[in-house]
């Protein structure tokens, strides 16, 4: 794509170019890393390898590592110019996901701590 | 380099961002589908948030550690991982115009996805039989909604995959079919990403 003969060509909309974005090797490397991260998650959660209060943090870190592996090796989200828009959209999506999850957890944790249970059937 | 060359180089590199003409259809289609997938992630974030805040509300019913069988969860995870792998290899063979190899990998992907659904289905059925159905407690409602929505996505992915195989057989690997295949593989890989969240939040953190 960066060859001097390709730089000047005008593209009509919809013209395909056959640029292989992936290879057998990248998928295999992705699979190996993903299996490694999965097994590490199971080991961390089922053994006392990590200091007990740190286990959730370790699991979250491993989950993010594996999501990164999937994005790069399976979804081919790289740093190429064709991917810029995808990355921008992903970062916006991540912002919304982060706001929804941490916002809900934060608010409800606050309510749980500060509001007295009123119903008799309340489980706490 | 002349000014014109420099301009040409910079616009060629900025293709799809306004310079150097429109991006190829393949890139635009993948971008549009990626936006859809991100909206799906946002949908799941609501379900994850609901599960996170309700996971302790067992209403005197069974809790996660009593219900989850981590051995079958591990097998489920491996099924999805390997089906993602074979799906990727299938997309690769399709890109290289090898329909025979594509069909083999598609069959592997389908079988592994179906195995995942089968294990999940038997787990769900066993839980309902034990009286731990979605109506038992807020925790179980959130659990079945979150994991069930993921399972519904996998089910629709399997239907889509069967449809894609039929298209490849009937129409061959023409560009339009290839773009649909690209969207399918994005969908399938995205389901795997959701599963990482389910595995970590629901099963690994919940089974302690």
């Amino acid at each position: 794509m960066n060859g001097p003969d390709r730089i000047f060509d005008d593209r009509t909309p919809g013209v395909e170019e056959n640029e292989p974005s992936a290879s057998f090797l990248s998928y295999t490397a992705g699979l190996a890393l993903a299996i490694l991260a999965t097994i590490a998650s199971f080991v961390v959660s089922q053994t006392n390898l990590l200091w007990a209060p740190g286990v959730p943090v370790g699991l979250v870190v491993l989950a993010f590592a594996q999501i990164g592996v999937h994005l790069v090796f399976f979804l081919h989200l790289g740093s190429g110019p064709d991917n810029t828009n995808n990355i921008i959209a992903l970062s916006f999506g991540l912002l919304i996901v982060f706001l929804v999850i941490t916002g809900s957890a934060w608010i409800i944790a606050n309510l749980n701590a500060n509001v007295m249970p009123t119903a008799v059937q309340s489980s706490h | 380099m002349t000014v014109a060359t420099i301009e040409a180089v910079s616009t060629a590199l900025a293709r799809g961002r306004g310079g150097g003409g429109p991006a190829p259809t393949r890139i635009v289609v993948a971008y549009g589908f990626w936006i859809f997938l991100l909206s799906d992630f946002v949908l799941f974030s609501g379900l994850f948030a609901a599960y996170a805040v309700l996971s302790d509300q067992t209403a005197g019913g069974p809790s996660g550690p009593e219900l989850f069988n981590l051995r079958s969860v591990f097998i489920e995870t491996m099924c999805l991982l390997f089906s993602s792998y074979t799906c990727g290899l299938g997309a690769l063979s399709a890109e290289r115009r090898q329909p025979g190899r594509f069909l083999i990998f598609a069959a592997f992907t389908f079988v592994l996805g179906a195995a995942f659904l089968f294990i999940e289905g038997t787990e769900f059925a066993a839980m309902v039989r034990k009286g731990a159905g979605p109506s038992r407690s807020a925790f179980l409602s959130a659990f079945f909604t979150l994991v069930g929505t993921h399972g519904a996505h996998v089910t629709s992915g399997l239907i889509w995959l069967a449809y894609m195989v039929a298209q490849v057989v009937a129409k061959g690997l023409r560009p339009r079919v290839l773009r649909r295949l690209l969207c399918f593989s994005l969908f399938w890989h995205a389901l795997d990403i959701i599963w990482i969240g389910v595995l970590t939040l629901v099963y690994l953190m919940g089974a302690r």
Side-chain angles (χ1 to χ4, degrees):
Chain A
M1 209 177 86
N2 293 326
D5 49 331
R6 301 292 306 275
I7 280 174
F8 297 101
D9 70 349
D10 274 336
R11 265 166 241 272
T12 5
V15 166
E16 296 291 319
E17 58 176 311
N18 197 10
E19 41 180 291
S21 49
S23 69
F24 176 75
L25 195 67
S26 77
Y27 281 116
T28 311
L31 177 73
L33 288 172
I35 289 179
L36 213 65
T38 303
I39 292 176
S41 303
F42 273 87
V43 167
V44 164
S45 84
Q46 295 308 304
T47 66
N48 293 321
L49 187 68
L50 286 191
W51 179 56
V55 167
V57 180
L59 287 175
V60 168
V61 168
L62 282 168
F64 274 105
Q66 195 176 347
I67 288 172
V69 166
H70 280 249
L71 287 175
V72 171
F73 289 95
F74 290 162
L75 288 155
H76 312 301
L77 215 60
S79 51
D82 280 342
N83 257 322
T84 319
N85 289 325
N86 295 343
I87 301 271
I88 292 171
L90 173 67
S91 43
F92 178 69
L94 284 182
L95 172 71
I96 301 297
V97 168
F98 172 77
L99 287 180
V100 170
I101 294 179
T102 56
S104 307
W106 188 7
I107 290 168
I108 300 295
N110 243 301
L111 288 176
N112 277 343
N114 293 323
V115 178
M116 295 288 284
T118 49
V120 185
Q121 276 206 320
S122 169
S123 62
H124 282 281
Chain B
M1 275 210 269
T2 65
V3 176
T5 322
I6 293 169
E7 258 177 20
V9 169
S10 60
T11 53
L13 289 175
R15 200 156 49 84
R17 280 183 286 168
T25 316
R26 186 179 186 281
I27 304 293
V28 179
V29 166
Y31 179 60
F33 198 73
W34 183 232
I35 301 280
F36 161 72
L37 287 177
L38 290 171
S39 76
D40 227 19
F41 287 171
V42 171
L43 168 109
F44 270 102
S45 76
L47 300 178
F48 274 117
Y51 182 84
V53 302
L54 293 175
S55 55
D56 292 332
Q57 313 298 320
T58 52
S63 63
E66 300 163 32
L67 293 170
F68 300 152
N69 175 2
L70 280 189
R71 220 172 65 95
S72 54
V73 171
F74 184 77
I75 299 171
E76 281 179 282
T77 308
M78 286 301 142
C79 282
L80 271 195
L81 261 183
F82 275 91
S83 83
S84 235
Y85 179 63
T86 54
C87 171
L89 295 185
L92 201 63
S93 341
E95 241 173 71
R96 292 177 180 165
R97 306 292 197 279
Q98 297 165 323
R101 295 187 62 181
F102 164 76
L103 291 177
I104 294 170
F105 284 126
F108 274 117
T109 310
F110 191 93
V111 168
L112 287 165
F116 167 84
L117 274 182
F118 176 77
I119 300 171
E120 186 163 83
T122 31
E123 293 274 293
F124 278 12
M127 283 171 75
V128 172
R129 265 201 310 279
K130 268 190 271 181
S135 53
R136 180 62 188 84
S137 63
F139 153 64
L140 283 166
S141 301
F143 168 82
F144 277 100
T145 312
L146 172 59
V147 185
T149 307
H150 177 268
H153 275 73
V154 175
T155 311
S156 51
L158 285 184
I159 296 169
W160 189 1
L161 175 60
Y163 187 56
M164 285 321 300
V165 166
Q167 286 201 1
V168 169
V169 170
K171 302 184 176 183
L173 293 168
R174 56 175 84 163
R176 187 167 287 194
V177 175
L178 279 179
R179 287 198 296 270
R180 289 171 187 161
L181 266 178
L182 174 72
C183 290
F184 169 75
S185 57
L186 287 178
F187 182 72
W188 200 248
H189 295 316
L191 288 188
D192 225 9
I193 291 183
I194 303 279
W195 180 255
I196 299 170
V198 174
L199 170 73
T200 304
L201 178 72
V202 176
Y203 291 108
L204 293 182
M205 287 187 181
R208 290 183 54 78

